[in-house]
Amino acid sequence: MKLLQKLFAIALALVGAGLLVGGIWLATLGGSGYYLVLGIAYVIAGIQLFIGRRSGAVIALLAALLTVPWAVWEGGFNFWPLFPRLVVPFAVAALAMMLAPAAPGMDRSKAAWRIAPAASACWLLSSAWAWPLCRTVP
């Protein structure tokens, strides 16, 4: 599991670096600063996870939550523009939370069982919200 944690942390930091560079370029062209901020967050989260700090998962989750207002601003409440803007940040946050180190003195399997019901509820609610919307044709 340690190897998977390290590989994910490296991948997250590299993705963050790419988003950071692209975000700087986009911002200089007058575009949104979202990718610059997300890139910084992912680089910091990747570093934190790599050195074994749970704060990396919290940063990834906060980045996903702060993506919601941007996604609504960019695409409105329409399913098809909103879904692609939200799915990746929330998937990254979910992976970060699952691969984050357990709290000191807590067994990893117990920690996973505590997170699983909340993750399942979020998935069910998002699926229930998405299903009727994806069947409509704009």
Side-chain angles (χ1 to χ4, degrees):
M1 190 65 151
K2 292 274 190 197
L3 177 63
L4 188 57
Q5 289 172 339
K6 297 288 186 190
L7 290 174
F8 176 76
I10 292 168
L12 183 59
L14 289 174
V15 166
L19 286 168
L20 178 60
V21 170
I24 291 169
W25 184 28
L26 184 61
T28 60
L29 295 174
S32 172
Y34 165 77
Y35 295 102
L36 184 138
V37 174
L38 187 68
I40 292 169
Y42 279 177
V43 167
I44 294 170
I47 292 168
Q48 292 292 313
L49 288 170
F50 188 83
I51 61 176
R53 295 200 175 151
R54 290 176 289 147
S55 59
V58 174
I59 293 168
L61 178 61
L62 289 175
L65 292 173
L66 292 174
T67 296
V68 174
W70 169 80
V72 170
W73 177 70
E74 284 277 318
F77 285 103
N78 299 320
F79 175 77
W80 288 115
L82 193 59
F83 182 75
R85 288 175 173 86
L86 294 177
V87 71
V88 172
F90 277 95
V92 167
L95 282 171
M97 288 187 296
M98 287 188 291
L99 293 173
M106 181 180 280
D107 181 19
R108 250 200 101 61
S109 61
K110 289 180 185 174
W113 280 106
R114 289 185 181 174
I115 292 172
S120 299
C122 289
W123 179 78
L124 286 172
L125 288 173
S126 65
S127 297
W129 170 74
W131 180 252
L133 295 175
C134 70
R135 294 186 356 203
T136 61
V137 177

mmCIF file of all heavy atoms in Angstrom, residues 91-136:
data_model
loop_
_atom_site.group_PDB
_atom_site.id
_atom_site.type_symbol
_atom_site.label_atom_id
_atom_site.label_comp_id
_atom_site.label_asym_id
_atom_site.label_seq_id
_atom_site.Cartn_x
_atom_site.Cartn_y
_atom_site.Cartn_z
ATOM 1 N N ALA A 91 -13.036 12.692 -8.171
ATOM 2 C CA ALA A 91 -12.385 11.380 -8.232
ATOM 3 C C ALA A 91 -10.984 11.453 -7.623
ATOM 4 O O ALA A 91 -10.579 10.556 -6.871
ATOM 5 C CB ALA A 91 -12.315 10.889 -9.678
ATOM 6 N N VAL A 92 -10.269 12.521 -7.918
ATOM 7 C CA VAL A 92 -8.935 12.716 -7.329
ATOM 8 C C VAL A 92 -9.047 12.832 -5.813
ATOM 9 O O VAL A 92 -8.261 12.231 -5.072
ATOM 10 C CB VAL A 92 -8.239 13.959 -7.937
ATOM 11 C CG1 VAL A 92 -7.020 14.363 -7.141
ATOM 12 C CG2 VAL A 92 -7.862 13.696 -9.386
ATOM 13 N N ALA A 93 -10.026 13.594 -5.339
ATOM 14 C CA ALA A 93 -10.214 13.748 -3.891
ATOM 15 C C ALA A 93 -10.563 12.408 -3.242
ATOM 16 O O ALA A 93 -10.046 12.086 -2.165
ATOM 17 C CB ALA A 93 -11.304 14.774 -3.609
ATOM 18 N N ALA A 94 -11.406 11.624 -3.892
ATOM 19 C CA ALA A 94 -11.774 10.312 -3.339
ATOM 20 C C ALA A 94 -10.551 9.399 -3.264
ATOM 21 O O ALA A 94 -10.332 8.726 -2.252
ATOM 22 C CB ALA A 94 -12.867 9.671 -4.185
ATOM 23 N N LEU A 95 -9.753 9.371 -4.322
ATOM 24 C CA LEU A 95 -8.533 8.556 -4.301
ATOM 25 C C LEU A 95 -7.565 9.033 -3.229
ATOM 26 O O LEU A 95 -6.962 8.230 -2.517
ATOM 27 C CB LEU A 95 -7.847 8.583 -5.671
ATOM 28 C CG LEU A 95 -8.461 7.714 -6.738
ATOM 29 C CD1 LEU A 95 -7.822 8.013 -8.091
ATOM 30 C CD2 LEU A 95 -8.301 6.245 -6.395
ATOM 31 N N ALA A 96 -7.424 10.346 -3.101
ATOM 32 C CA ALA A 96 -6.527 10.893 -2.084
ATOM 33 C C ALA A 96 -6.989 10.500 -0.691
ATOM 34 O O ALA A 96 -6.183 10.129 0.162
ATOM 35 C CB ALA A 96 -6.440 12.416 -2.209
ATOM 36 N N MET A 97 -8.297 10.554 -0.457
ATOM 37 C CA MET A 97 -8.809 10.176 0.865
ATOM 38 C C MET A 97 -8.626 8.686 1.136
ATOM 39 O O MET A 97 -8.315 8.285 2.252
ATOM 40 C CB MET A 97 -10.277 10.573 0.997
ATOM 41 C CG MET A 97 -10.467 12.070 1.132
ATOM 42 S SD MET A 97 -12.159 12.558 1.487
ATOM 43 C CE MET A 97 -13.018 12.043 0.026
ATOM 44 N N MET A 98 -8.806 7.875 0.092
ATOM 45 C CA MET A 98 -8.642 6.433 0.281
ATOM 46 C C MET A 98 -7.185 6.047 0.484
ATOM 47 O O MET A 98 -6.886 5.100 1.196
ATOM 48 C CB MET A 98 -9.233 5.665 -0.903
ATOM 49 C CG MET A 98 -10.738 5.674 -0.916
ATOM 50 S SD MET A 98 -11.446 4.602 -2.168
ATOM 51 C CE MET A 98 -11.007 5.451 -3.663
ATOM 52 N N LEU A 99 -6.273 6.781 -0.150
ATOM 53 C CA LEU A 99 -4.859 6.430 -0.075
ATOM 54 C C LEU A 99 -4.091 7.227 0.983
ATOM 55 O O LEU A 99 -2.908 6.984 1.190
ATOM 56 C CB LEU A 99 -4.201 6.635 -1.441
ATOM 57 C CG LEU A 99 -4.684 5.684 -2.530
ATOM 58 C CD1 LEU A 99 -4.096 6.078 -3.873
ATOM 59 C CD2 LEU A 99 -4.351 4.247 -2.197
ATOM 60 N N ALA A 100 -4.765 8.143 1.638
ATOM 61 C CA ALA A 100 -4.093 8.929 2.681
ATOM 62 C C ALA A 100 -3.709 8.028 3.843
ATOM 63 O O ALA A 100 -4.386 7.033 4.123
ATOM 64 C CB ALA A 100 -5.007 10.045 3.166
ATOM 65 N N PRO A 101 -2.636 8.356 4.508
ATOM 66 C CA PRO A 101 -2.243 7.555 5.670
ATOM 67 C C PRO A 101 -3.336 7.578 6.733
ATOM 68 O O PRO A 101 -4.030 8.576 6.897
ATOM 69 C CB PRO A 101 -0.981 8.252 6.189
ATOM 70 C CG PRO A 101 -0.529 9.138 5.088
ATOM 71 C CD PRO A 101 -1.723 9.456 4.250
ATOM 72 N N ALA A 102 -3.479 6.472 7.428
ATOM 73 C CA ALA A 102 -4.458 6.394 8.513
ATOM 74 C C ALA A 102 -3.999 7.251 9.685
ATOM 75 O O ALA A 102 -2.817 7.552 9.834
ATOM 76 C CB ALA A 102 -4.644 4.943 8.955
ATOM 77 N N ALA A 103 -4.956 7.637 10.511
ATOM 78 C CA ALA A 103 -4.624 8.403 11.708
ATOM 79 C C ALA A 103 -3.747 7.560 12.621
ATOM 80 O O ALA A 103 -3.853 6.325 12.629
ATOM 81 C CB ALA A 103 -5.900 8.817 12.429
ATOM 82 N N PRO A 104 -2.868 8.191 13.382
ATOM 83 C CA PRO A 104 -2.010 7.425 14.284
ATOM 84 C C PRO A 104 -2.844 6.552 15.224
ATOM 85 O O PRO A 104 -3.818 7.010 15.806
ATOM 86 C CB PRO A 104 -1.260 8.503 15.070
ATOM 87 C CG PRO A 104 -1.332 9.726 14.230
ATOM 88 C CD PRO A 104 -2.610 9.621 13.451
ATOM 89 N N GLY A 105 -2.467 5.305 15.325
ATOM 90 C CA GLY A 105 -3.163 4.368 16.203
ATOM 91 C C GLY A 105 -4.414 3.765 15.593
ATOM 92 O O GLY A 105 -5.079 2.953 16.229
ATOM 93 N N MET A 106 -4.772 4.129 14.358
ATOM 94 C CA MET A 106 -5.975 3.587 13.730
ATOM 95 C C MET A 106 -5.581 2.588 12.654
ATOM 96 O O MET A 106 -4.706 2.857 11.841
ATOM 97 C CB MET A 106 -6.822 4.694 13.125
ATOM 98 C CG MET A 106 -8.106 4.169 12.480
ATOM 99 S SD MET A 106 -9.096 5.485 11.772
ATOM 100 C CE MET A 106 -9.877 6.105 13.238
ATOM 101 N N ASP A 107 -6.222 1.458 12.663
ATOM 102 C CA ASP A 107 -6.006 0.443 11.638
ATOM 103 C C ASP A 107 -6.569 0.959 10.312
ATOM 104 O O ASP A 107 -7.647 1.529 10.261
ATOM 105 C CB ASP A 107 -6.709 -0.852 12.067
ATOM 106 C CG ASP A 107 -6.511 -1.980 11.074
ATOM 107 O OD1 ASP A 107 -5.577 -1.904 10.260
ATOM 108 O OD2 ASP A 107 -7.305 -2.939 11.127
ATOM 109 N N ARG A 108 -5.829 0.762 9.214
ATOM 110 C CA ARG A 108 -6.276 1.244 7.902
ATOM 111 C C ARG A 108 -7.615 0.677 7.504
ATOM 112 O O ARG A 108 -8.437 1.359 6.907
ATOM 113 C CB ARG A 108 -5.242 0.883 6.842
ATOM 114 C CG ARG A 108 -4.574 2.122 6.376
ATOM 115 C CD ARG A 108 -3.895 2.022 5.072
ATOM 116 N NE ARG A 108 -4.631 2.591 3.988
ATOM 117 C CZ ARG A 108 -4.990 3.850 3.875
ATOM 118 N NH1 ARG A 108 -4.762 4.691 4.817
ATOM 119 N NH2 ARG A 108 -5.602 4.278 2.815
ATOM 120 N N SER A 109 -7.855 -0.587 7.804
ATOM 121 C CA SER A 109 -9.119 -1.195 7.398
ATOM 122 C C SER A 109 -10.288 -0.550 8.138
ATOM 123 O O SER A 109 -11.359 -0.353 7.576
ATOM 124 C CB SER A 109 -9.092 -2.701 7.629
ATOM 125 O OG SER A 109 -8.906 -2.983 8.992
ATOM 126 N N LYS A 110 -10.097 -0.202 9.410
ATOM 127 C CA LYS A 110 -11.156 0.473 10.161
ATOM 128 C C LYS A 110 -11.404 1.865 9.601
ATOM 129 O O LYS A 110 -12.550 2.321 9.515
ATOM 130 C CB LYS A 110 -10.787 0.560 11.641
ATOM 131 C CG LYS A 110 -10.842 -0.765 12.352
ATOM 132 C CD LYS A 110 -10.467 -0.595 13.807
ATOM 133 C CE LYS A 110 -10.417 -1.961 14.488
ATOM 134 N NZ LYS A 110 -9.918 -1.856 15.859
ATOM 135 N N ALA A 111 -10.335 2.552 9.213
ATOM 136 C CA ALA A 111 -10.489 3.891 8.637
ATOM 137 C C ALA A 111 -11.266 3.820 7.327
ATOM 138 O O ALA A 111 -12.140 4.648 7.061
ATOM 139 C CB ALA A 111 -9.125 4.526 8.414
ATOM 140 N N ALA A 112 -10.964 2.823 6.507
ATOM 141 C CA ALA A 112 -11.659 2.672 5.234
ATOM 142 C C ALA A 112 -13.140 2.388 5.446
ATOM 143 O O ALA A 112 -13.996 2.901 4.725
ATOM 144 C CB ALA A 112 -11.022 1.558 4.413
ATOM 145 N N TRP A 113 -13.475 1.586 6.437
ATOM 146 C CA TRP A 113 -14.872 1.284 6.716
ATOM 147 C C TRP A 113 -15.621 2.492 7.230
ATOM 148 O O TRP A 113 -16.830 2.604 7.076
ATOM 149 C CB TRP A 113 -15.004 0.122 7.698
ATOM 150 C CG TRP A 113 -14.819 -1.191 7.014
ATOM 151 C CD1 TRP A 113 -13.749 -2.001 7.097
ATOM 152 C CD2 TRP A 113 -15.731 -1.817 6.107
ATOM 153 N NE1 TRP A 113 -13.914 -3.102 6.297
ATOM 154 C CE2 TRP A 113 -15.135 -3.007 5.679
ATOM 155 C CE3 TRP A 113 -16.984 -1.486 5.609
ATOM 156 C CZ2 TRP A 113 -15.754 -3.880 4.790
ATOM 157 C CZ3 TRP A 113 -17.602 -2.351 4.722
ATOM 158 C CH2 TRP A 113 -16.987 -3.531 4.326
ATOM 159 N N ARG A 114 -14.936 3.435 7.826
ATOM 160 C CA ARG A 114 -15.597 4.659 8.275
ATOM 161 C C ARG A 114 -15.866 5.604 7.112
ATOM 162 O O ARG A 114 -16.826 6.352 7.127
ATOM 163 C CB ARG A 114 -14.754 5.358 9.331
ATOM 164 C CG ARG A 114 -14.750 4.603 10.634
ATOM 165 C CD ARG A 114 -14.029 5.357 11.696
ATOM 166 N NE ARG A 114 -14.039 4.562 12.919
ATOM 167 C CZ ARG A 114 -13.392 4.886 14.008
ATOM 168 N NH1 ARG A 114 -12.684 5.990 14.040
ATOM 169 N NH2 ARG A 114 -13.454 4.126 15.072
ATOM 170 N N ILE A 115 -15.009 5.589 6.109
ATOM 171 C CA ILE A 115 -15.167 6.471 4.954
ATOM 172 C C ILE A 115 -16.164 5.886 3.944
ATOM 173 O O ILE A 115 -16.889 6.623 3.289
ATOM 174 C CB ILE A 115 -13.800 6.715 4.278
ATOM 175 C CG1 ILE A 115 -12.906 7.534 5.205
ATOM 176 C CG2 ILE A 115 -13.952 7.417 2.942
ATOM 177 C CD1 ILE A 115 -11.489 7.662 4.723
ATOM 178 N N ALA A 116 -16.220 4.570 3.833
ATOM 179 C CA ALA A 116 -17.026 3.910 2.805
ATOM 180 C C ALA A 116 -18.498 4.316 2.810
ATOM 181 O O ALA A 116 -19.059 4.587 1.739
ATOM 182 C CB ALA A 116 -16.878 2.400 2.918
ATOM 183 N N PRO A 117 -19.191 4.362 3.951
ATOM 184 C CA PRO A 117 -20.610 4.746 3.899
ATOM 185 C C PRO A 117 -20.829 6.165 3.365
ATOM 186 O O PRO A 117 -21.741 6.401 2.576
ATOM 187 C CB PRO A 117 -21.074 4.643 5.355
ATOM 188 C CG PRO A 117 -20.111 3.722 6.009
ATOM 189 C CD PRO A 117 -18.807 3.937 5.299
ATOM 190 N N ALA A 118 -19.982 7.094 3.759
ATOM 191 C CA ALA A 118 -20.121 8.469 3.269
ATOM 192 C C ALA A 118 -19.849 8.537 1.773
ATOM 193 O O ALA A 118 -20.569 9.209 1.025
ATOM 194 C CB ALA A 118 -19.185 9.396 4.024
ATOM 195 N N ALA A 119 -18.823 7.835 1.319
ATOM 196 C CA ALA A 119 -18.505 7.818 -0.112
ATOM 197 C C ALA A 119 -19.636 7.179 -0.906
ATOM 198 O O ALA A 119 -20.015 7.656 -1.978
ATOM 199 C CB ALA A 119 -17.191 7.082 -0.347
ATOM 200 N N SER A 120 -20.193 6.110 -0.383
ATOM 201 C CA SER A 120 -21.308 5.441 -1.061
ATOM 202 C C SER A 120 -22.533 6.343 -1.126
ATOM 203 O O SER A 120 -23.212 6.409 -2.154
ATOM 204 C CB SER A 120 -21.666 4.143 -0.334
ATOM 205 O OG SER A 120 -20.578 3.263 -0.347
ATOM 206 N N ALA A 121 -22.819 7.046 -0.052
ATOM 207 C CA ALA A 121 -23.966 7.956 -0.044
ATOM 208 C C ALA A 121 -23.784 9.074 -1.061
ATOM 209 O O ALA A 121 -24.724 9.424 -1.787
ATOM 210 C CB ALA A 121 -24.168 8.529 1.355
ATOM 211 N N CYS A 122 -22.580 9.621 -1.137
ATOM 212 C CA CYS A 122 -22.306 10.673 -2.128
ATOM 213 C C CYS A 122 -22.495 10.149 -3.543
ATOM 214 O O CYS A 122 -23.074 10.825 -4.397
ATOM 215 C CB CYS A 122 -20.891 11.216 -1.961
ATOM 216 S SG CYS A 122 -20.683 12.217 -0.481
ATOM 217 N N TRP A 123 -22.011 8.944 -3.796
ATOM 218 C CA TRP A 123 -22.148 8.360 -5.123
ATOM 219 C C TRP A 123 -23.616 8.135 -5.470
ATOM 220 O O TRP A 123 -24.062 8.455 -6.569
ATOM 221 C CB TRP A 123 -21.373 7.051 -5.207
ATOM 222 C CG TRP A 123 -21.501 6.411 -6.533
ATOM 223 C CD1 TRP A 123 -20.854 6.752 -7.683
ATOM 224 C CD2 TRP A 123 -22.370 5.327 -6.878
ATOM 225 N NE1 TRP A 123 -21.263 5.949 -8.710
ATOM 226 C CE2 TRP A 123 -22.183 5.068 -8.239
ATOM 227 C CE3 TRP A 123 -23.274 4.572 -6.166
ATOM 228 C CZ2 TRP A 123 -22.888 4.079 -8.899
ATOM 229 C CZ3 TRP A 123 -23.970 3.571 -6.825
ATOM 230 C CH2 TRP A 123 -23.774 3.334 -8.179
ATOM 231 N N LEU A 124 -24.381 7.607 -4.526
ATOM 232 C CA LEU A 124 -25.798 7.357 -4.778
ATOM 233 C C LEU A 124 -26.558 8.659 -5.033
ATOM 234 O O LEU A 124 -27.390 8.736 -5.937
ATOM 235 C CB LEU A 124 -26.425 6.600 -3.608
ATOM 236 C CG LEU A 124 -26.047 5.122 -3.512
ATOM 237 C CD1 LEU A 124 -26.558 4.533 -2.202
ATOM 238 C CD2 LEU A 124 -26.592 4.354 -4.693
ATOM 239 N N LEU A 125 -26.289 9.680 -4.224
ATOM 240 C CA LEU A 125 -26.972 10.958 -4.418
ATOM 241 C C LEU A 125 -26.603 11.591 -5.753
ATOM 242 O O LEU A 125 -27.463 12.123 -6.451
ATOM 243 C CB LEU A 125 -26.636 11.907 -3.273
ATOM 244 C CG LEU A 125 -27.274 11.574 -1.931
ATOM 245 C CD1 LEU A 125 -26.717 12.483 -0.842
ATOM 246 C CD2 LEU A 125 -28.782 11.694 -2.001
ATOM 247 N N SER A 126 -25.329 11.539 -6.114
ATOM 248 C CA SER A 126 -24.927 12.131 -7.390
ATOM 249 C C SER A 126 -25.498 11.354 -8.564
ATOM 250 O O SER A 126 -25.896 11.935 -9.571
ATOM 251 C CB SER A 126 -23.404 12.215 -7.495
ATOM 252 O OG SER A 126 -22.840 10.926 -7.524
ATOM 253 N N SER A 127 -25.592 10.039 -8.434
ATOM 254 C CA SER A 127 -26.191 9.233 -9.497
ATOM 255 C C SER A 127 -27.675 9.523 -9.628
ATOM 256 O O SER A 127 -28.209 9.627 -10.734
ATOM 257 C CB SER A 127 -25.980 7.741 -9.224
ATOM 258 O OG SER A 127 -24.607 7.445 -9.242
ATOM 259 N N ALA A 128 -28.353 9.652 -8.487
ATOM 260 C CA ALA A 128 -29.784 9.960 -8.519
ATOM 261 C C ALA A 128 -30.032 11.322 -9.150
ATOM 262 O O ALA A 128 -31.003 11.519 -9.878
ATOM 263 C CB ALA A 128 -30.356 9.915 -7.104
ATOM 264 N N TRP A 129 -29.125 12.283 -8.891
ATOM 265 C CA TRP A 129 -29.261 13.608 -9.472
ATOM 266 C C TRP A 129 -28.950 13.581 -10.968
ATOM 267 O O TRP A 129 -29.597 14.237 -11.762
ATOM 268 C CB TRP A 129 -28.311 14.569 -8.751
ATOM 269 C CG TRP A 129 -28.178 15.899 -9.405
ATOM 270 C CD1 TRP A 129 -29.093 16.906 -9.403
ATOM 271 C CD2 TRP A 129 -27.077 16.375 -10.175
ATOM 272 N NE1 TRP A 129 -28.613 17.976 -10.104
ATOM 273 C CE2 TRP A 129 -27.390 17.680 -10.594
ATOM 274 C CE3 TRP A 129 -25.854 15.817 -10.548
ATOM 275 C CZ2 TRP A 129 -26.513 18.429 -11.362
ATOM 276 C CZ3 TRP A 129 -24.990 16.579 -11.307
ATOM 277 C CH2 TRP A 129 -25.327 17.864 -11.715
ATOM 278 N N ALA A 130 -27.938 12.805 -11.347
ATOM 279 C CA ALA A 130 -27.450 12.825 -12.726
ATOM 280 C C ALA A 130 -28.342 12.043 -13.685
ATOM 281 O O ALA A 130 -28.473 12.420 -14.843
ATOM 282 C CB ALA A 130 -26.029 12.287 -12.780
ATOM 283 N N TRP A 131 -28.929 10.963 -13.238
ATOM 284 C CA TRP A 131 -29.659 10.079 -14.153
ATOM 285 C C TRP A 131 -30.754 10.798 -14.931
ATOM 286 O O TRP A 131 -30.799 10.723 -16.146
ATOM 287 C CB TRP A 131 -30.194 8.864 -13.413
ATOM 288 C CG TRP A 131 -30.938 7.957 -14.321
ATOM 289 C CD1 TRP A 131 -32.268 7.762 -14.353
ATOM 290 C CD2 TRP A 131 -30.386 7.153 -15.368
ATOM 291 N NE1 TRP A 131 -32.590 6.885 -15.341
ATOM 292 C CE2 TRP A 131 -31.461 6.488 -15.984
ATOM 293 C CE3 TRP A 131 -29.098 6.941 -15.850
ATOM 294 C CZ2 TRP A 131 -31.284 5.618 -17.045
ATOM 295 C CZ3 TRP A 131 -28.928 6.070 -16.915
ATOM 296 C CH2 TRP A 131 -29.995 5.423 -17.493
ATOM 297 N N PRO A 132 -31.677 11.504 -14.266
ATOM 298 C CA PRO A 132 -32.722 12.178 -15.056
ATOM 299 C C PRO A 132 -32.153 13.263 -15.966
ATOM 300 O O PRO A 132 -32.676 13.508 -17.042
ATOM 301 C CB PRO A 132 -33.658 12.803 -14.024
ATOM 302 C CG PRO A 132 -33.212 12.331 -12.705
ATOM 303 C CD PRO A 132 -31.871 11.688 -12.847
ATOM 304 N N LEU A 133 -31.073 13.911 -15.538
ATOM 305 C CA LEU A 133 -30.525 14.990 -16.343
ATOM 306 C C LEU A 133 -29.810 14.495 -17.584
ATOM 307 O O LEU A 133 -29.861 15.135 -18.627
ATOM 308 C CB LEU A 133 -29.545 15.809 -15.491
ATOM 309 C CG LEU A 133 -30.181 16.551 -14.318
ATOM 310 C CD1 LEU A 133 -29.092 17.203 -13.497
ATOM 311 C CD2 LEU A 133 -31.164 17.578 -14.796
ATOM 312 N N CYS A 134 -29.153 13.349 -17.490
ATOM 313 C CA CYS A 134 -28.389 12.887 -18.654
ATOM 314 C C CYS A 134 -29.288 12.293 -19.721
ATOM 315 O O CYS A 134 -28.865 12.123 -20.849
ATOM 316 C CB CYS A 134 -27.300 11.900 -18.227
ATOM 317 S SG CYS A 134 -27.916 10.316 -17.686
ATOM 318 N N ARG A 135 -30.530 12.009 -19.397
ATOM 319 C CA ARG A 135 -31.448 11.459 -20.389
ATOM 320 C C ARG A 135 -32.113 12.551 -21.210
ATOM 321 O O ARG A 135 -32.723 12.279 -22.230
ATOM 322 C CB ARG A 135 -32.517 10.603 -19.715
ATOM 323 C CG ARG A 135 -31.919 9.364 -19.095
ATOM 324 C CD ARG A 135 -32.910 8.414 -18.531
ATOM 325 N NE ARG A 135 -34.279 8.881 -18.602
ATOM 326 C CZ ARG A 135 -35.247 8.479 -17.829
ATOM 327 N NH1 ARG A 135 -35.013 7.607 -16.888
ATOM 328 N NH2 ARG A 135 -36.470 8.931 -17.954
ATOM 329 N N THR A 136 -32.006 13.786 -20.753
ATOM 330 C CA THR A 136 -32.603 14.882 -21.499
ATOM 331 C C THR A 136 -31.637 15.382 -22.561
ATOM 332 O O THR A 136 -30.436 15.396 -22.362
ATOM 333 C CB THR A 136 -32.991 16.054 -20.573
ATOM 334 O OG1 THR A 136 -31.810 16.531 -19.947
ATOM 335 C CG2 THR A 136 -33.996 15.615 -19.531
#
